[in-house]
DNA sequence: CTGTTAGCGCCTTCAC
DNA sequence: GTGAAGGCGCTAACAG
């Protein structure tokens, strides 16, 4: 590979043009130190004339910190992530940082080397979007090596991963969603869970379970399906479940994406939503308001989690010691739309 | 900001541990130069023992090229981009590069400084996803300064932006979509275009227009709406158009997202798709297959464009001179689904 | 208020 | 086959 010509102006050239030293140019550009008004003018002119921009790599090297933060997520193709990413990106930019968005799903070695490279020099902090498949030991090692790590979208406010994190109350989300169904008079409710029973959506499932129990409603294991957290996963499981248990009047789905699949599955089976079957889920991604019928769902504080995570990362990077080990975000709230209605049968 | 402790091992430390010089370690790690088998062993052990990873910033500084490629896109929240991003990311990783995903939509100064920083040192090449609002002069300047620039998703294979690009035939896409409608017997066809008449979807619109003309079907301006390229834009415009022109039997929409909005709008107006109105669009994002009815659309070669763009960027970065100024991708193809049917009235 | 000196961690060139 | 010297572009610490 032939290296490209160095057509970029360096600080030296700018300094020469302005008749000062690199230090002064550096000071002017970063507002450090005291520089005479006139000198500053001259420097600024030279900078403009040369179209100079500092080499961020060189700066990172000497400052021992990169101007970037990394966001590790499974697959950007899951519609939840773009929404989260946008908020995280905006928050990072507000702090003058660039956000490195890292798709880890298709990394060959499971992303180990990838993560180490990104953490080691490419970025100044790692924001891990919890996908239920965290390698805590790796993250701990990275943290120990000096790079701040924050886990976001943590589902259990009462269990700590041992790494700074931003959590929401997933149990309450499941509880609220289920209460809504119960309030509408449903008591034959199926569940579609986008993980294993004790997987990432375990808290949501327990919320569902506890809501039923609090109203003395029976729930049999046959009415639950533990599936892939995807549109297709929801579709397939809904077809299966609705056929097997035709007496169900409502479905609790642990996530919007499979709920959208379930919505379509119901239509495919000739069931009207919400007349024949109500569907409620959790998250409130943008698509939830665009489906037909629009999806009733329990909104989790996505934007808040993204922002708090970035803020926390910045604080950790700045060496602040009084940072909380866990930030609990606002409670989830029910967003009533058109996919749920009072029970009829 | 207190700089973090340098707990990361340096090449020097590794070299010391292995009883060699940094040069040798470097050579071993990159497979350069000749190194004795035994020495190599010792070095590798030391590397493992220290958990050493080269500092990518330092390397970028001395090599004068970063290990990252940047993807500039409007807003990651538009569902087309995550799909494109995933492919670009995978292609970049195949070349050993990291992909820096840059949301430009919310940059304060229109992203000028942002782009310059990213181009100047953070990345070794810029992939610009065409959103119809390109600042060609800026891109040219960046290119002139030595950073390769490639424009992807270019819509007109016969017009060059003056910068290396990867294009698909948007005119043909519009033509094919419209022909499909004509073949089904429609001739009162409305158009929802996600840009100004000569904006980014201008080629698609002309394809629509030319298809009608080739069959001697009249198209009056009142049947076209130039709207925001979004779900809501499509929804609103469809409501408006369908009310104003109740005799229309089909809708040509320039993009899937507004088409999805139109689909919902039709239902809101009590029109059945495709019985009362057929809808066809262009792109074939994943959502197109998940709507109800599933959307008939003309697929554009998204994955191919992403891959070719990255490949081109890599070649340009390697200083290859025999690179084409424009790469034309495969032709768009019709994907028949459930939103179109033979005309009835 | 401005300049000098030193070095961030690595790679390249050239001796040995 | 291996080592020594020099420098990438920048900022830190200190001197003046």
């Amino acid at each position: 590979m032939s290296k490209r010509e160095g057509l970029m102006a360096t600080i030296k050239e700018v300094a020469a043009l302005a008749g000062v030293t690199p230090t002064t140019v550096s000071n002017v550009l970063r507002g450090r130190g005291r520089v005479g008004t006139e000198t500053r003018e001259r420097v600024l002119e030279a900078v403009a004339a040369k179209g100079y921009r500092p080499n961020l790599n060189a700066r990172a090297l000497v400052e021992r910190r990169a101007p970037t933060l990394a966001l590790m997520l499974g697959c950007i193709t899951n519609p939840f992530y773009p929404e989260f990413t946008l908020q995280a990106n905006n928050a990072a930019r507000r702090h003058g940082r660039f956000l490195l968005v890292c798709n880890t799903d298709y990394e060959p070695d499971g992303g180990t080397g990838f993560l180490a490279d990104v953490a080691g020099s490419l970025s100044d902090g790692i924001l891990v979007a919890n996908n239920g498949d965290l390698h805590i030991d790796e993250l701990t090692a990275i943290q120990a090596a000096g790079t701040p790590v924050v886990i976001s979208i943590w589902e259990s406010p009462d269990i700590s991963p041992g790494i700074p994190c931003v959590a929401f109350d997933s149990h309450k989300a499941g509880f609220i969603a289920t209460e809504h169904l119960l309030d509408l008079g449903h008591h034959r409710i199926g569940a579609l869970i986008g993980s294993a029973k004790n997987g990432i959506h375990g808290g949501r499932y327990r919320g569902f379970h506890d809501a039923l129990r609090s109203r003395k409603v029976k729930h049999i294991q046959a009415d639950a399906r533990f599936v892939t957290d995807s549109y297709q996963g929801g579709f397939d499981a809904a077809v299966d479940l609705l056929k097997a248990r035709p007496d169900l009047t409502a479905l609790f789905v642990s996530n919007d994406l499979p709920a959208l699949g379930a919505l379509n599955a119901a239509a495919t089976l000739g069931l009207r939503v919400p007349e024949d079957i109500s569907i409620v889920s959790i998250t409130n991604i943008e698509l939830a308001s665009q489906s037909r019928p629009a999806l009733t769902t329990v909104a989790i504080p996505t934007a808040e989690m993204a922002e708090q995570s970035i803020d926390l990362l910045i604080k950790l990077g700045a060496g602040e010691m009084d940072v909380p080990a866990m930030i609990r975000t606002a409670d989830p709230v029910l967003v009533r739309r058109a996919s749920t209605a009072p029970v009829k049968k």
Side-chain angles (χ1 to χ4, degrees), chain A:
Chain A
M1 300 212 188
S2 76
K3 60 180 73 164
R4 301 192 313 272
E5 317 84 305
L7 299 180
M8 301 270 314
T10 69
I11 196 171
K12 229 176 191 171
E13 295 167 32
V14 174
L17 180 61
V20 296
T21 60
T23 307
T24 304
V25 175
S26 179
N27 282 145
V28 169
L29 255 26
R30 295 173 310 138
R32 298 281 184 81
R34 274 148 296 282
V35 183
T37 323
E38 194 201 336
T39 311
R40 151 172 289 108
E41 295 268 311
R42 247 184 314 134
V43 168
L44 256 19
E45 272 174 36
V47 166
K50 290 272 184 189
Y52 170 72
R53 301 228 117 208
N55 182 315
L56 265 21
N57 274 312
R59 180 180 283 176
L61 184 58
V62 61
E63 285 187 337
R64 299 165 141 279
R65 55 190 212 86
T68 62
L69 261 18
L71 168 60
M72 316 294 292
L73 43 77
C75 188
I76 189 67
T77 261
N78 177 327
F80 173 78
Y81 288 128
E83 298 182 24
F84 184 86
T85 298
L86 179 61
Q87 303 297 333
N89 186 67
N90 290 166
R93 296 299 292 144
R94 258 179 259 132
H95 288 284
R97 307 306 181 87
F98 298 91
L99 190 71
L100 211 63
V101 181
C102 304
N103 236 269
T104 57
D105 259 10
Y106 300 91
E107 285 302 315
D109 60 345
T112 301
F114 180 58
L115 186 58
D117 276 337
V118 171
S121 37
L122 251 31
S123 75
D124 196 39
I126 307 281
L127 176 49
V128 183
N130 179 22
N131 64 352
D133 184 29
L134 263 27
H135 297 224
I136 300 287
D137 45 344
E138 263 183 54
L139 299 179
T140 305
I142 285 169
Q143 199 181 229
T147 301
V149 177
V150 167
I151 295 177
S152 194
I153 327 176
W154 185 249
E155 305 241 338
S156 319
D158 27 54
I159 300 174
S160 166
I163 286 177
C165 67
V166 176
F168 75 100
D169 192 338
S170 68
H171 181 277
K172 186 165 280 181
F175 199 95
I176 291 173
T178 310
E179 263 191 326
H180 170 61
L181 255 19
L182 292 166
D183 288 345
L184 291 171
H186 296 276
H187 39 260
R188 289 192 303 280
I189 307 175
L192 258 39
I193 310 301
S195 75
K197 187 171 178 179
N198 292 308
I200 185 168
H201 289 172
R204 307 181 187 199
Y205 177 61
R206 282 187 293 279
F208 161 75
H209 211 270
D210 290 350
L212 292 183
R213 203 162 45 183
S214 76
R215 300 276 184 100
K216 315 264 190 268
V217 173
K218 268 206 187 127
H219 168 64
I220 62 172
Q221 197 61 34
D223 288 346
R225 293 283 186 283
F226 298 90
V227 306
T228 310
D229 181 25
S230 66
Y231 176 89
Q232 196 61 44
F235 184 95
D236 294 344
V239 167
D240 179 56
L241 181 59
L242 260 14
K243 276 188 180 166
R245 314 284 300 177
D247 57 327
L248 295 177
T249 66
L251 244 37
F252 164 82
V253 190
S254 70
N255 211 1
D256 287 346
L257 206 50
L260 259 10
L263 218 51
N264 212 332
T268 301
L269 295 177
L271 297 169
R272 291 163 306 161
V273 178
E275 292 82 355
D276 299 324
I277 185 126
S278 283
I279 298 182
V280 68
S281 70
I282 296 173
T283 306
N284 194 30
I285 58 177
E286 210 182 338
L287 288 176
S289 65
Q290 299 175 348
S291 66
R292 190 164 193 96
L295 198 58
T296 294
T297 188
V298 175
I300 66 174
T302 306
E304 188 190 351
M305 285 194 287
E307 282 162 21
Q308 296 265 36
S309 301
I310 293 290
D311 289 353
L312 185 52
L313 216 40
I314 296 282
K315 282 182 188 165
L316 288 168
E320 285 190 27
M321 302 317 288
D322 60 335
V323 293
M326 182 185 296
I327 291 178
R328 290 172 183 76
T329 55
D331 272 346
V333 307
L334 180 69
V335 179
R336 306 178 68 140
R337 284 198 275 248
S339 68
T340 51
V343 67
K344 276 214 214 143
K345 328 187 189 180

